[in-house]
Amino acid sequence: MTEHSVVIVGGGPTGLMLAGELALAGVDVAIVERRASQDLAGSRAGGLHSRTIEVLDLRGIADRFLSEGQVAQVAAFAGTPLDISDFPTRHPYGLGLWQNHIERILAGWVGELAVPIYRGREVTGFAQDDNGVDVELSEGQSLRAEYLVGCDGGRSLVRKEAGIEFPGWDPTTSSLIAEAEMAEEPELGIRRDARGIHSFGRLEYEIRDGEVVYLDEGPVRIMVTEEHPGPAGEPTLRDLSEALIAVYGTDYGIHSPTWISRFTDMTRQAAAYLDRRVLLAGDAAHVHAPDGGQGLNTGVQDAVNLGWKLAQVVNRTSPESLLDTYHAERHPVAARVLRNTMAQVALRRPEARTKALRDTMSDLLSMDEPRRRFAAMMSGLDIHYDLGEGHSLLGRRMPDLDLVTANGPLRVFTLLHDARPVLLNLGEPGGFDITLWADRVQLIDAKYVGTWELPALGAVTAPTAVLIRPDGYVAWVGDLTQQGLADALTTWFGSPIAA
Ligand SMILES: Cc1cc2nc3c(=O)[nH]c(=O)nc-3n(C[C@H](O)[C@H](O)[C@H](O)COP(=O)(O)OP(=O)(O)OC[C@H]3O[C@@H](n4cnc5c(N)ncnc54)[C@H](O)[C@@H]3O)c2cc1C
């Protein structure tokens, strides 16, 4: 039986990102993916938020995405745009880039890291014991892994087979989404009526002066809200045609669809992100309405939270209990996404009182403080893992500062390209000795002269040292003393060598 340390089920955005993270840490990881190639039917997610771009920047691959997409102010809440151009980040914007391109670029990176992908193969079941998991594949093949991670989407077989509860709310609304040709020219843009929101756009577009300008030709991207939540199962061209006629009085001679799908506001979250040797990430762990474009972003960031932790457990530098922090940190993040998408779905309802509420929210969000807070939430820049009391940086994203080191200027994010933790000493050079963790943690002496500013929070006190985790979050902050450093190093990166 073929063995791997970690088997990932599903090579969508979450599975690919996780595979890259594990490979960087030297873990023997493989992906099993049902699709025969990375090609995706339909474009699905429309892009990346600021924090996800930052996370890709941590690994030195953000430019691959930025060079193919279109930078724009994409953060919004219930249709109210939230400008983040004044935020203290190197990427104060989002990126318009369809999911099929995001997956292709991620797959290219994972290929460079030589991760094997069993394509055209489906995981059909598994059994876990004290030492690992036997994974059954279609066509009778099987794999053995120390850990199995379900990145297999909202209908996750891994979640179901593990018996993990998926509590939440059934759909109240559904929309058909499609890409097709139309004989007649529809008016592009959004329409609201008694049923809800509908839209026509084109796959190909440019951002000019902050506005989406569709190209004159090419397939039309259609979104039409249905009268009642549609049934499970694949919608047909006929369903789409009927829904269009009900809203627009015509189907514009729709033909040659390349993708027809249905999304709903079903809102559910896995009660546990792990069960012994089986873990969940991405849509397998949380599903919600697409409002605000947060699903893919949350999945990729789940992967970056889990990757280094799972690698340390597999490499025996940390105890299994480190994996509990994955649930503890990421479950609340997705719970908040579920809450804000439910609120946005409620606010998109068509009747007059809801419109009044939506307009009131919009008025509130035009004020600076609410705008900053909601923008930081929707772009993922305000994520705060609860690592206890302390400095404002503790548990928050490390800013990408321009440092001066003995070897010249350096960006903080550059230090994290290999996904190895960093103790950044901004005080007296040579003031730290972490020899006992030297095999795992980089010690960098540097100077930084600017201010310290966090999105939504504003200026914070300059620390004299910070311990930065591979996912770019701050695990310990020094204020002239080294109190608590040894504990933080042990908690996050394992016992000292001599112990
Ligand atoms: C209309 C729409 C618009 C959206 N817009 C946005 C947006 O703008 N921004 C955003 O962040 N998100 C958006 N999303 C959500 C986003 O598409 C998902 O959150 C994202 O694809 C989740 O990634 P994933 O890797 O977790 O799961 P998936 O993309 O679902 O990938 C799961 C993979 O697992 C494979 N698989 C499943 N079962 C098995 C099995 N048993 N064996 C082997 N392989 C298996 C599948 O083939 C698939 O490749 C949108 C979604 C929709 C529907």
Side-chain angles (χ1 to χ4, degrees), residues 35 83 102 104-105 109 128 140 145 180 277 284 292 308 331 337 423 429 450:
R35 288 180 280 156
D83 196 311
I102 295 171
R104 172 176 46 77
I105 299 168
W109 177 58
Q128 59 171 323
R277 292 181 169 270
W308 62 278
H331 191 279
V337 171
L423 177 60

Side-chain angles (χ1 to χ4, degrees), residues 374-428:
F374 273 64
M377 172 177 73
M378 297 308 293
S379 56
L381 288 168
D382 72 343
I383 289 170
H384 179 208
Y385 299 135
D386 182 4
L387 306 190
E389 295 287 302
H391 192 284
S392 314
L393 278 165
L394 190 63
R396 290 200 164 87
R397 63 180 258 300
M398 176 67 193
D400 186 20
L401 309 176
D402 287 308
L403 305 173
V404 179
T405 70
N407 299 323
L410 192 70
R411 281 173 51 191
V412 167
F413 282 14
T414 312
L415 293 167
L416 291 151
H417 282 188
D418 298 333
R420 290 184 59 220
V422 181
L423 177 60
L424 184 61
N425 171 27
L426 300 158
E428 275 305 302

Side-chain angles (χ1 to χ4, degrees), residues 295-350:
L296 181 152
N297 287 271
T298 309
V300 166
Q301 292 179 50
D302 285 347
V304 174
N305 185 285
L306 175 60
W308 62 278
K309 295 174 182 173
L310 185 53
Q312 288 179 189
V313 171
V314 167
N315 292 336
R316 312 270 185 270
T317 47
S318 289
E320 264 181 14
S321 57
L322 183 64
L323 296 176
D324 295 336
T325 69
Y326 167 59
H327 172 97
E329 292 179 353
R330 293 305 297 175
H331 191 279
V333 170
R336 198 171 65 142
V337 171
L338 264 59
R339 191 177 81 142
N340 84 47
T341 52
M342 286 173 79
Q344 292 186 78
V345 169
L347 285 169
R348 72 163 133 95
R349 292 197 179 120

Side-chain angles (χ1 to χ4, degrees), residues 170-470:
D170 287 335
T172 62
T173 175
S174 68
S175 303
L176 296 177
I177 186 157
E179 288 157 18
E181 303 288 338
M182 286 184 154
E184 298 155 38
E185 186 71 14
E187 191 182 332
L188 302 183
I190 291 177
R191 173 185 289 203
R192 285 179 186 271
D193 68 6
R195 278 191 181 197
I197 301 180
H198 324 282
S199 70
F200 290 117
R202 279 195 205 283
L203 273 185
E204 303 284 334
Y205 65 88
E206 286 176 6
I207 308 272
R208 290 191 209 139
D209 295 331
E211 298 292 325
V212 173
V213 179
Y214 294 111
L215 301 197
D216 291 337
E217 294 186 337
V220 179
R221 185 169 150 114
I222 301 141
M223 201 262 290
V224 56
T225 301
E226 298 178 287
E227 190 174 8
H228 305 291
E234 292 303 303
T236 62
L237 182 58
R238 190 170 166 174
D239 296 331
L240 183 60
S241 167
E242 286 174 2
L244 285 170
I245 291 168
V247 173
Y248 292 91
T250 169
D251 69 2
Y252 298 96
I254 190 166
H255 65 95
S256 313
T258 50
W259 179 52
I260 307 178
S261 186
R262 177 180 279 118
F263 69 83
T264 76
D265 66 336
M266 181 166 74
T267 306
R268 294 185 177 278
Q269 186 174 21
Y273 278 22
L274 71 161
D275 171 43
R276 291 163 294 155
R277 292 181 169 270
V278 176
L279 298 115
L280 301 175
D283 276 16
H286 38 75
V287 295
H288 49 80
D291 301 56
Q294 302 166 90
L296 181 152
N297 287 271
T298 309
V300 166
Q301 292 179 50
D302 285 347
V304 174
N305 185 285
L306 175 60
W308 62 278
K309 295 174 182 173
L310 185 53
Q312 288 179 189
V313 171
V314 167
N315 292 336
R316 312 270 185 270
T317 47
S318 289
E320 264 181 14
S321 57
L322 183 64
L323 296 176
D324 295 336
T325 69
Y326 167 59
H327 172 97
E329 292 179 353
R330 293 305 297 175
H331 191 279
V333 170
R336 198 171 65 142
V337 171
L338 264 59
R339 191 177 81 142
N340 84 47
T341 52
M342 286 173 79
Q344 292 186 78
V345 169
L347 285 169
R348 72 163 133 95
R349 292 197 179 120
E351 58 92 30
R353 286 170 183 80
T354 308
K355 180 176 183 311
L357 182 57
R358 192 164 59 240
D359 292 346
T360 307
M361 275 300 292
S362 186
D363 287 347
L364 282 170
L365 292 173
S366 69
M367 298 173 196
D368 200 47
E369 177 74 14
R371 189 264 309 171
R372 279 193 280 123
R373 293 207 177 223
F374 273 64
M377 172 177 73
M378 297 308 293
S379 56
L381 288 168
D382 72 343
I383 289 170
H384 179 208
Y385 299 135
D386 182 4
L387 306 190
E389 295 287 302
H391 192 284
S392 314
L393 278 165
L394 190 63
R396 290 200 164 87
R397 63 180 258 300
M398 176 67 193
D400 186 20
L401 309 176
D402 287 308
L403 305 173
V404 179
T405 70
N407 299 323
L410 192 70
R411 281 173 51 191
V412 167
F413 282 14
T414 312
L415 293 167
L416 291 151
H417 282 188
D418 298 333
R420 290 184 59 220
V422 181
L423 177 60
L424 184 61
N425 171 27
L426 300 158
E428 275 305 302
F432 285 88
D433 176 6
I434 56 162
T435 315
L436 298 179
W437 287 272
D439 59 331
R440 283 156 270 167
V441 183
Q442 313 170 64
L443 173 58
I444 306 288
D445 289 335
K447 291 276 171 248
Y448 172 67
V449 285
T451 53
W452 287 73
E453 209 189 332
L454 291 178
L457 287 190
V460 299
T461 319
T464 53
V466 277
L467 179 63
I468 312 167
R469 309 191 320 189

